[in-house]
Amino acid sequence: MTDTAISTGTDESVADFTMRARAWLAENMPRIDPDNPPFSVRAEEKSWERARHLQKRLYQGGFAGICFPRAYGGLGLDQAYQKAFNAECRCYEMPLILNTPSFTICGATILDMGSEEQKRARISAAIRGDEVLCQLLSEPSGGSDLAGVLTRADRVGDKWIINGAKTWSTSAFAADYGLMLARTDWTVPKHEGLTMFLVPLNAAGITMRRITEVNGNEEFCEEFFDGLELGDDAVVGAVNDGWTVATRQLHHERRAVGGGSEFASGTGAENANEMPPDHVGLAAATGQLDDPLVQNLAGRALVRRTVKSQLIDHVSASIANGSLPPNAGTLIRLFHAETTELEIDTALAISGTAGVVDEGSGLLDIGVRYLSRQTGSLGGGSSEMARNVIGERVLGFPREAAADRGMPFNQVKRGRT
Ligand SMILES: Cc1cc2nc3c(=O)[nH]c(=O)nc-3n(C[C@H](O)[C@H](O)[C@H](O)COP(=O)(O)OP(=O)(O)OC[C@H]3O[C@@H](n4cnc5c(N)ncnc54)[C@H](O)[C@@H]3O)c2cc1C
């Protein structure tokens, strides 16, 4: 492969950039065989090694971190260049599993809220393919009430001592650092006593375990913190202002989950079980191509997919030009969850018994995907919470009642107390 450091200035037009990317991709990235697309299982270490390797290639070729600033290892270009690159790289194997949460959520949040040192160290290491980032937010006691986290960070001398537990951390086993929200002041209302930390996941005092999901995957992890020691350099943003950081992180997550982030390191042939199902192919495989009912079902799903893609463009552009508030990213995330469910429900309806009984047709995967079809309506906050955000922060409806509003956190009743 060519290993030249390509200097990319903003004086290069999108068209010229596209031509250069096309030539570089053809020479340097593995072309996908459409009959045998790569299948990277997110729960397997080797998939992450492969992704890091591909990311390193992108970096060496000068096509990594297109929308991240040059000071932190990126190219400092706007979204038009990333979109052009995405269109070119579809036929090539790309390090897609690094996109979420590493680049689109954690990298984007550190860029907005991190210290200069954190940005220089962590963002550039991720862009180089050396490090992966994850999020440590949800806890066994609940994820929707994120400001109610119970993991504690106590000041002892010049250190922070962390005790508590996190759960549902996507790909944490493959990550090097995690953004972790902890409570640093229990005497103030819940949103005011939180601090975000950047945690090195190989530190002493962290025990990590894999969680087995309903479909057999083990991508999620839970972490237990027992006296983990962190310095002030691990604090992201200001002490007791972690809610500002978390809010920004959730903003990036909502956009990323729906596919609206400019920080994704390319797009392309996703894993078969992350791609929208091929409804026409399923109709053909089950001999129903001429059935008007099946045509109707497949057409409805196709329309939804098209509307989703246009909604992403519309909302992203409206947030960028200020005509919609940043919280409108939640519209993308909600529509994405609903579209995914419709797509998979439709696939199962067309597959019929072949999707649930192994008849040798190869359609059993549809049934397995159905088992986890609702992950999109939980990850990044549940769809109910998304509706609350749209109602309260986009449409301006009154806030829902909360018994703990304004109350010092150590006086809030929890569990059986
Ligand atoms: C694919 C996936 C990836 C994830 N990745 C991560 C990750 O990387 N890091 C991480 O920290 N977490 C992650 N999570 C966890 C996720 O953030 C939580 O599942 C989510 O926030 C919901 O929290 P919970 O599961 O504890 O449900 P709970 O908060 O216990 O909620 C239970 C139910 O009550 C409803 N509910 C709760 N409060 C309200 C309310 N005020 N109004 C209306 N309805 C309400 C919820 O919608 C839900 O249906 C992931 C989850 C999934 C599915």
Side-chain angles (χ1 to χ4, degrees), residues 365-410:
D365 274 356
I366 299 293
V368 174
R369 286 185 72 177
Y370 182 83
L371 291 177
S372 51
R373 77 199 242 292
Q374 276 164 295
T375 52
S377 65
L378 280 169
S382 67
S383 288
E384 289 78 12
M385 300 310 284
R387 289 194 170 86
N388 285 352
V389 170
I390 293 166
E392 295 174 14
R393 319 247 180 91
V394 181
L395 300 173
F397 292 168
R399 289 183 68 183
E400 67 173 329
D404 57 2
R405 187 160 297 142
M407 184 184 283
F409 194 72
N410 56 11

Side-chain angles (χ1 to χ4, degrees), residues 302-364:
L302 184 62
V303 167
R304 202 52 114 69
R305 196 181 302 170
T306 307
V307 172
K308 180 183 126 178
S309 149
Q310 294 183 355
L311 184 78
I312 291 173
D313 286 349
H314 174 70
V315 172
S316 302
S318 302
I319 293 174
N321 71 23
S323 57
L324 279 175
N327 278 316
T330 307
L331 292 162
I332 295 177
R333 182 240 159 279
L334 181 60
F335 204 79
H336 169 74
E338 305 239 309
T339 304
T340 303
E341 288 181 21
L342 177 77
E343 300 239 39
I344 296 182
D345 289 355
T346 304
L348 190 64
I350 296 174
S351 305
T353 53
V356 287
V357 179
D358 192 1
E359 298 169 337
S361 62
L363 300 187
L364 200 58

Side-chain angles (χ1 to χ4, degrees), residues 135-138 142-144 167-170 220 375 378-382 384-385 388 400:
Q135 357 183 43
L136 309 171
L137 302 175
S138 305
S144 296
T167 190
W168 308 127
S169 330
T170 303
F220 296 103
T375 52
L378 280 169
S382 67
E384 289 78 12
M385 300 310 284
N388 285 352
E400 67 173 329

